[in-house]
Amino acid sequence: MAAPGPLESKLLEHFREVKCPILQEEELKVWWEKEELKDGLSESLKVLVERGRLGGRTLSVGKNQIKIYWLKDGGHQCGSTPGASKRGPKRSQSRFVSPLIKDRREKRPKLDAAMDTVKGSLDFSGEDGSSSTELGRLSEKKATLLTRLKERKEELRKLRMVKMYRTKPEHQGLDVLTQQWREVSQEVAQSLLESSTHQPPPTMQQLLDYLHIDHDLIHYSVEDESFY
């Protein structure tokens, strides 16, 4: 395996010095800027992951995408790296907890809680079966929620169509047309009754029954013997 370059070595040294073995990419960027290193962070992380020196994963927490990295060469704790004393006094660790990180933790407690869950489930030896199971469960839950959302959207679409048809102007004019049809029908029935040559002349009720016209439909009252 090829020896890591200067930037990769600096990254590995940083992972061995911090207390928490898991670091977010945003935290690494803050540290990178403090070290006055302008470029090369993403490339160095990629090289170390490909060489198996670091583990890396992208997590979805709500609408956020979080990239995390952890040390895979033995899971050293802060200050336990062999030969650390030869490199001179260890730097103060307080510089790695910047005000930016503290502010983010205060404003995003849900994100920190999710990160704690991930930290507890990851296996730093490289076996991430439990983490994969958790991600699979979250993926299934997401698929179920998307299916329910699709069903609700379809129901909403149908309800909007029903509302649209009920409020169209042509449907509102049906009552007017029905009333006009009834008035004309009453006039025609009255005209037929008056022109009848039958003796004795039939009543309006007899005429409507003969023509199989419903009394309620044409608005004829048998009791009053008149239209209404």
Side-chain angles (χ1 to χ4, degrees), residues 14-21 23 76-78 93 96:
H14 175 58
F15 271 94
R16 294 188 183 101
E17 288 181 347
V18 296
K19 291 182 179 180
C20 179
L23 291 176
H76 296 287
Q77 297 297 323
C78 178
Q93 297 175 9
F96 300 128

Side-chain angles (χ1 to χ4, degrees), residues 15-72:
F15 271 94
R16 294 188 183 101
E17 288 181 347
V18 296
K19 291 182 179 180
C20 179
I22 300 178
L23 291 176
Q24 299 180 35
E25 188 176 40
E26 293 299 322
E27 294 174 323
L28 289 172
K29 287 181 179 179
V30 173
W31 169 77
W32 198 259
E33 292 176 358
K34 286 192 174 185
E35 294 292 322
E36 297 182 355
L37 301 172
K38 297 182 179 179
D39 300 313
L41 175 61
S42 299
E43 291 77 5
S44 298
L45 288 171
K46 182 178 179 181
V47 169
L48 291 174
V49 170
E50 291 175 349
R51 294 181 179 178
R53 304 297 298 274
L54 292 180
R57 180 170 299 140
T58 300
L59 302 177
S60 297
V61 181
K63 296 181 179 180
N64 301 308
Q65 296 288 329
I66 307 172
K67 290 185 178 180
I68 60 173
Y69 299 90
W70 63 91
L71 193 64
K72 296 180 68 174

Side-chain angles (χ1 to χ4, degrees), residues 60 131-149:
S60 297
S131 179
S132 299
T133 302
E134 178 69 13
L135 290 175
R137 186 184 66 81
L138 292 175
S139 298
E140 292 178 0
K141 186 175 181 181
K142 178 182 178 181
T144 302
L145 292 175
L146 289 175
T147 301
R148 291 182 181 176
L149 179 61

Side-chain angles (χ1 to χ4, degrees), residues 157-171:
R157 184 186 68 83
K158 292 179 179 179
L159 290 173
R160 285 176 175 172
M161 288 183 64
V162 171
K163 181 180 179 181
M164 179 184 68
Y165 283 118
R166 288 181 177 178
T167 56
K168 276 189 174 181
E170 54 264 29
H171 288 78

